């Protein structure tokens, strides 16, 4: 097996602002794993607030020696090895995991969802994300999202209520709210949860910093809205440690180290009685198509990452009125539409 990789920059359609900051590009690294003439595709996406970068991902991937494995079907052994190389590096590990799952399913001439015995007809409807902006621009983005029946609004700013009111002046669609750890006062957060519920919000994601775990648990116990973890739960160990503080979890490949652990998290979260969402970073249709397979097991999906960029270089899943449409193509169901890809 031969691993190769190349850095790439995703260009965002709009300046994307969340509570942690704003940006116009997202650095990614594209991976390929080749074996006997077949190619598996993968991707690492590194939004800056998560601590990984093109430099760290490239440095990690240079340490991955897949030549020592002769059988790509021994996926657990290979991924255990990759995970053991170093701590952290979750997106870098995901880029190997995704390419390996793609290759694995192609070797067996099956779409990954069929290997996992999942029905692609059960896909959830994705939300479409609207970043923090002026009320005027938010109204404009609501109009641009006409094809999506559920919206996700970023809050954690001084004009939070104005932004919700701007959305509500334009549409009555169900709304998710993601605060990206932007609030610090639990009483204020609870007041907001009641106000948001009155305004048609159905769930509240990462309202407070993950280190305020006792305040988050208190909010979850009192909130009229389900409280979802995002930054606060990255991998299975954190799900097991912190599940009692949240009512749901947003699972992302770039946090979980890839498909293998994301799938386990979706199963385990249900055993804890939690609701589950399959989410994403800004990513190409490669990682989004991989995440879409896991979304067949989750209650919610937030898989609009490839729709927010102008230079997607893969064909993969599509969306029909927001519903995630998987194909019956082999692997994770993607084809590169633009070269160069890594060599
Ligand atoms: Mg989030």
């Amino acid at each position: 097996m031969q691993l190769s990789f190349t850095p790439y920059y995703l260009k965002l359609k709009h300046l994307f602002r969340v509570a942690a900051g704003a940006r116009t590009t997202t650095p990614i690294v594209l991976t390929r794993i080749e074996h006997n003439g077949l190619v598996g595709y993968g991707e690492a996406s590194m939004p800056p607030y998560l601590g990984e970068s093109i430099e760290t991902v490239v440095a990690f991937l240079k340490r991955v020696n897949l030549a020592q494995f002769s059988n790509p079907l021994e996926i657990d052994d290979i991924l255990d090895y990759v995970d053991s190389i170093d701590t952290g590096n979750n997106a870098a590990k995901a880029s190997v995991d995704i390419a390996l799952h793609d290759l694995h399913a192609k070797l067996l001439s099956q779409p990954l969802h069929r290997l996992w015995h999942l029905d692609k007809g059960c896909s959830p409807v994705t939300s479409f994300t609207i970043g923090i902006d002026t009320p005027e621009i938010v109204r404009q983005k609501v109009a641009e999202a006409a094809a999506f029946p559920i919206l996700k609004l970023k809050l954690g700013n001084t004009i939070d209520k104005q932004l919700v009111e701007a959305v509500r002046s334009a549409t009555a669609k169900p709304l998710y709210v993601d605060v990206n750890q932007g609030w610090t006062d639990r009483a204020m957060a609870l007041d907001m949860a009641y106000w948001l519920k009155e305004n048609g919000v159905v769930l509240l994601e990462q309202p407070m910093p993950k280190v305020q775990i006792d305040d988050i648990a208190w909010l979850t116990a009192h909130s009229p809205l389900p409280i979802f973890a995002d930054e606060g739960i990255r991998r299975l160990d954190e799900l097991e440690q912190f599940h009692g503080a949240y009512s749901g979890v947003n699972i992302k490949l770039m946090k979980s180290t890839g498909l293998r652990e994301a799938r386990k998290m979706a199963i385990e979260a249900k055993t804890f009685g939690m609701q589950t969402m399959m989410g994403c970073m800004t990513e190409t249709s490669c990682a989004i198509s991989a995440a879409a397979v896991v979304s067949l097991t989750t209650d919610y999906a937030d898989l609009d990452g490839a729709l927010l960029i102008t230079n997607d270089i893969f064909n993969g899943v599509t969306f029909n009125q927001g519903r995630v449409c998987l194909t019956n193509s082999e692997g994770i169901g993607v084809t590169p539409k633009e070269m160069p890809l890594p060599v």
Side-chain angles (χ1 to χ4, degrees):
M1 265 182 297
Q2 187 67 40
L3 170 68
S4 55
F5 46 88
T6 198
Y8 189 71
Y9 282 90
L10 300 180
K11 296 175 189 153
L12 308 187
K13 286 180 184 168
H14 294 282
L15 176 73
F16 188 62
R17 184 179 297 280
V18 302
R23 64 182 196 273
T24 55
T25 61
T26 301
I28 68 168
V29 173
L30 298 160
T31 52
R32 287 165 56 119
I33 300 177
E34 289 193 63
H35 180 77
N36 286 352
L38 288 174
V39 179
Y41 295 103
E43 172 180 3
S45 173
M46 294 82 70
Y49 62 94
L50 288 178
E52 291 182 78
S53 64
I54 283 180
E55 291 71 29
T56 65
V57 170
V58 166
F60 182 86
L61 293 177
K62 283 180 176 171
R63 296 167 69 188
V64 177
N65 173 20
L66 295 187
Q68 64 186 298
F69 297 97
S70 57
N71 185 355
L73 300 183
E74 291 173 350
I75 198 161
D76 280 314
D77 290 347
I78 301 168
L79 293 177
D80 285 346
Y81 153 72
V82 172
D83 200 21
S84 73
I85 291 173
D86 207 341
T87 56
N89 293 285
N90 295 14
K93 291 171 181 175
S95 74
V96 180
D97 167 289
I98 295 166
L100 197 56
H101 278 87
D102 190 33
L103 176 64
H104 177 117
K106 283 173 175 167
L107 283 166
L108 299 175
S109 304
Q110 295 288 337
L112 182 61
H113 64 80
R114 194 173 296 151
L115 277 188
W116 284 4
H117 306 290
L118 300 175
D119 179 359
K120 73 181 171 72
C122 297
S123 62
V125 172
T126 185
S127 51
F128 187 88
T129 300
I130 296 176
I132 294 173
D133 226 309
T134 64
E136 294 72 34
I137 301 277
V138 164
R139 266 190 292 274
Q140 183 187 323
K141 288 180 176 175
V142 170
E144 289 172 19
F148 292 86
I150 304 170
L151 301 177
K152 182 178 192 178
L153 181 66
K154 298 285 192 179
L155 293 184
N157 195 272
T158 53
I159 55 168
D160 284 347
K161 286 191 176 179
Q162 289 178 54
L163 296 186
V164 174
E165 285 162 352
V167 172
R168 282 293 169 249
S169 71
T171 181
K173 289 174 183 175
L175 191 60
Y176 308 156
V177 160
D178 185 0
V179 186
N180 288 105
Q181 314 187 83
W183 300 337
T184 53
D185 182 329
R186 71 182 194 181
M188 170 270 186
L190 183 60
D191 287 345
M192 278 298 286
Y194 276 101
W195 186 84
L196 292 170
K197 184 173 173 67
E198 286 171 14
N199 283 275
V201 172
V202 295
L203 65 86
L204 185 53
E205 185 173 309
Q206 204 66 54
M208 287 187 283
K210 62 181 182 179
V211 293
Q212 289 181 232
I213 194 69
D214 292 341
D215 290 330
I216 292 169
W218 178 88
L219 180 64
T220 297
H222 294 85
S223 169
L225 294 176
I227 306 297
F228 274 61
D230 183 2
E231 290 86 341
I233 294 180
R234 288 167 295 187
R235 297 191 61 172
L236 200 53
D237 60 337
E238 288 180 332
L239 176 67
E240 290 167 352
Q241 189 176 355
F242 299 124
H243 67 88
Y246 297 94
S247 15
V249 57
N250 184 348
I251 301 165
K252 298 178 179 176
L253 298 180
M254 300 303 147
K255 296 189 298 175
S256 71
T257 70
L259 285 157
R260 179 175 73 148
E261 195 153 320
R263 184 187 185 199
K264 287 182 188 168
M265 289 176 72
I267 293 167
E268 194 154 322
K270 292 267 173 77
T271 70
F272 289 134
M274 297 173 84
Q275 299 179 57
T276 52
M277 173 186 288
M278 193 63 205
C280 63
M281 309 298 180
T282 38
E283 299 164 359
T284 74
S285 287
C286 177
I288 296 296
S289 299
V293 181
V294 184
S295 82
L296 298 175
T297 72
T298 60
D299 302 308
Y300 301 92
D302 180 33
L303 294 177
D304 63 347
L307 302 171
L308 304 177
I309 61 174
T310 60
N311 57 342
D312 189 0
I313 54 167
F314 283 91
N315 289 313
V317 289
T318 55
F319 299 91
N320 182 5
Q321 289 293 304
R323 188 165 295 281
V324 186
C325 302
L326 286 83
T327 69
N328 278 329
S329 303
E330 294 175 7
I332 58 172
V334 300
T335 50
K337 61 182 176 187
E338 211 176 271
M339 300 305 275
L341 274 172
V343 289

